[in-house]
Structures are given as C-alpha cells and as structure tokens.
Amino acid sequence: MTSNITDKEAFVWIWLPEATEPVVAGKLEADDQGNVQFNYGKSYLERISTNPPAISIYEPELPLKKSVLPLLDGLTMPGCIRDCAPDAWGRRVIINEKLGRKGKNRDTDALGGCPRMEVVARESHFEADLV
C-alpha cells in the first residue's frame, strides 16, 4: 500500500542488531481524540524468521503482532515511543522547519548534518504495507 504521510501519521524506523541500515518497523497514526497508536508493517513482521530478525520495539508495550496495538491504560501514545521523541527544543525546531520559518541563526543550523533531522525534513511519502 502506498501511503502519503500526513500530519497525523509518522513512520517508525529501527536499526536491527548488527544491521548497517535502518528498516521501517511500522507506522504511528493519531486518531480524532489525540491518541497515537502503532501498527507494525507486514514486511517487518515477515522478518521474524530472517537474519537479522525483526524485534519488538519494547515487548511489554509493543509486542510483535498484526494490526493496531492497543494503548496501555492512561497513555495517549506508546510510552516507549514518547521516550524517544524529540524534546521541547527538538519539537520547536521541527515546527519551525515545517512552517518555513527561516533566519540567519535558525535552530536547525545547530543540528549540522544530523541524520535524524534530515529524515524528518525529507520524508514526504513512503511505501508501506501495514497489516
């Protein structure tokens, strides 16, 4: 399935043990109530018996299963995803980039060639095969 990324979805990439390139593990998608849920991709789940094998992002919260994974009680998004999300400064940088705010000393200049920022800035669509 081809998916055009919107402001309500984001792809989650993971570096598997001993791998030299990241792979797409799945997709986060926000609902109308502001909850963000995760769904592993079909091709990622098919890697379970390959080398390197697929691994869960965090087994107690996001086990390797098909379909949208339920949130733990009291959470609006998986805690393990929130833990690795940008902090307040990083969110401000991304918002300023998205809104096109530019200046001589803008915050993104401090990032240099940060690959994480490049992925956020350049990813406009991606082929996904969600289950």
Side-chain angles (χ1 to χ4, degrees):
M1 163 175 123
T2 300
S3 175
N4 290 325
I5 201 160
T6 68
D7 290 339
K8 292 191 172 199
E9 58 188 25
F11 290 97
V12 176
W13 295 68
I14 191 167
W15 274 264
L16 296 172
E18 300 181 29
T20 59
E21 296 287 326
V23 296
V24 175
K27 184 172 82 168
L28 293 167
E29 191 162 7
D31 63 20
D32 293 335
Q33 290 78 40
N35 295 315
V36 178
Q37 294 181 306
F38 181 76
N39 186 8
Y40 282 108
K42 181 181 176 187
S43 62
Y44 186 73
L45 291 173
E46 289 172 352
R47 295 182 67 104
I48 291 174
S49 59
T50 65
N51 192 17
I55 57 174
S56 69
I57 293 173
Y58 179 60
E59 186 66 31
E61 194 170 30
L62 299 176
L64 288 172
K65 293 183 179 178
K66 291 182 181 181
S67 76
V68 175
L69 299 174
L71 293 169
L72 297 179
D73 289 340
L75 297 180
T76 58
M77 74 182 302
C80 59
I81 298 294
R82 181 176 297 282
D83 286 347
C84 67
D87 61 8
W89 176 79
R91 289 190 303 272
R92 189 182 82 222
V93 170
I94 293 167
I95 290 167
N96 287 342
E97 275 292 303
K98 190 163 184 74
L99 296 176
R101 295 184 183 165
K102 300 192 185 327
K104 188 172 184 178
N105 295 319
R106 62 188 184 160
D107 286 335
T108 53
D109 294 340
L111 294 174
C114 176
R116 182 175 182 182
M117 188 62 195
E118 288 177 28
V119 171
V120 171
R122 294 190 318 210
E123 220 35 79
S124 61
H125 73 280
F126 192 79
E127 294 272 330
D129 56 350
L130 302 175
V131 289

